Amino acid sequence: GAGVSQSPSNKVTEKGKDVELRCDPISGHTALYWYRQRLGQGLEFLIYFQGNSAPDKSGLPSDRFSAERTGESVSTLTIQRTQQEDSAVYLCASSLEGTTGGYTFGSGTRLTVV
Amino acid sequence: GNSVTQMEGPVTLSEEAFLTINCTYTATGYPSLFWYVQYPGEGLQLLLKATKADDKGSNKGFEATYRKETTSFHLEKGSVQVSDSAVYFCALNPMGSGGGADGLTFGKGTHLIIQP
C-alpha cells in the first residue's frame, strides 16, 4: 500500500483481556518495527523484524507481549492479560533502506486498558 | 549504549520567530541522525536526516547539521508558522549494528506550540 496501515486505530479493553494489534507495512519493505509511546513519553522500542524473523526481541516489556510477521507482510502484536500500564499508542514502522534510512510510521493504535 | 537527549518542552513561540530545538546524542561508531515530526492526531513523519559528519539535512524550511565534535544535531528554522505546531523527535540509528537490530533510538520529543 501507499503507507503503513495500522488497525484498529483505537482499542478500549478490560484489564485481563487479550488484544491483537495489526500492522500492514509498505509493500516491499523488508524491515518492520514496533514501538510504544506512553503519554508524554518518548518512543520505546519493542521489536524488530527482518523479513519474518525477529533477531531482536529484547525490547518486549514482558512475556505477555509477543509478535509475529507473515513473510515480509503483515505483523501482529499480541498483548495477553492486559494491564493498565499497557495503555499507550503502539506504533509500527517499516523501512526499505535498513540502517541508514528513515522509517515510515503508521498512525498508531491507541490502546486503553480500563 | 545509545541515547538521545533533546530539550524539554513545551516550547512556545510567536509566528515568524526563529526556532532552535537542541538535540545531543551518545552512540558508538558513526550513527545516522534524524528528525521526525508528529502533527496532532497523526503518525510520525520523517522530517530530515543526515548520515555523516558535517552533512546538513533540510526540509520544509527546517535544517539540522550533523556535528560530530559536539555530538549534536540541533533543529533550526528561520521563521516558524502556526502549522509547524507539533511534537519533534530527534533520533539516531547506529551504523554497523547488523541491520537495525535496535531500531531507531528516539529522544523524548519536544512539543512546539506556535502562536499567531
Side-chain angles (χ1 to χ4, degrees):
Chain A
V4 177
S5 177
Q6 291 189 245
S7 61
S9 55
N10 278 284
K11 177 73 176 177
V12 179
T13 190
E14 291 181 352
K15 179 181 173 180
K17 300 284 189 184
D18 297 352
V19 294
E20 190 173 277
L21 313 180
R22 176 187 168 106
C23 172
D24 229 318
I26 291 175
S27 179
H29 278 195
T30 55
L32 186 148
Y33 303 82
W34 283 98
Y35 286 84
R36 178 167 69 176
Q37 185 180 22
R38 287 188 165 130
L39 187 64
Q41 301 293 312
L43 275 72
E44 177 186 359
F45 169 74
L46 297 180
I47 190 168
Y48 152 70
F49 288 92
Q50 179 62 40
N52 63 1
S53 66
D56 186 357
K57 301 181 180 180
S58 62
L60 294 176
S62 75
D63 58 9
R64 295 186 295 105
F65 287 71
S66 62
E68 293 182 342
R69 187 179 185 193
T70 306
E72 294 185 352
S73 184
V74 173
S75 175
T76 55
L77 177 69
T78 301
I79 309 172
Q80 295 178 308
R81 305 181 304 280
T82 52
Q83 303 295 312
Q84 287 185 330
E85 64 262 27
D86 299 334
S87 296
V89 176
Y90 290 82
L91 292 167
C92 176
S94 69
S95 172
L96 180 60
E97 296 181 51
T99 56
T100 60
Y103 301 170
T104 302
F105 280 84
S107 297
T109 295
R110 181 175 298 279
L111 175 66
T112 305
V113 182
V114 297
Chain B
N2 303 317
S3 67
V4 175
T5 303
Q6 55 184 112
M7 60 193 296
E8 297 278 333
V11 173
T12 304
L13 295 173
S14 297
E15 208 165 20
E16 299 183 4
F18 184 88
L19 168 71
T20 300
I21 300 179
N22 290 339
C23 171
T24 57
Y25 67 89
T26 302
T28 55
Y30 302 93
S32 296
L33 302 173
F34 305 84
W35 276 100
Y36 280 82
V37 58
Q38 186 176 32
Y39 297 104
E42 298 184 15
L44 275 76
Q45 303 174 25
L46 178 63
L47 180 60
L48 54 85
K49 68 178 183 181
T51 58
K52 61 182 189 296
D54 300 325
D55 267 2
K56 178 186 285 187
S58 61
N59 186 23
K60 300 182 180 180
F62 290 89
E63 292 182 341
T65 301
Y66 188 141
R67 301 285 188 201
K68 194 170 189 305
E69 64 276 14
T70 54
T71 61
S72 65
F73 193 54
H74 304 321
L75 183 68
E76 297 182 334
K77 185 174 185 181
S79 177
V80 291
Q81 305 300 314
V82 172
S83 57
D84 294 327
S85 299
V87 181
Y88 292 80
F89 291 90
C90 186
L92 71 83
N93 196 340
M95 296 287 288
S97 66
D102 294 330
L104 287 169
T105 298
F106 285 86
K108 291 187 175 181
T110 302
H111 187 191
L112 176 66
I113 301 169
I114 307 300
Q115 296 177 333

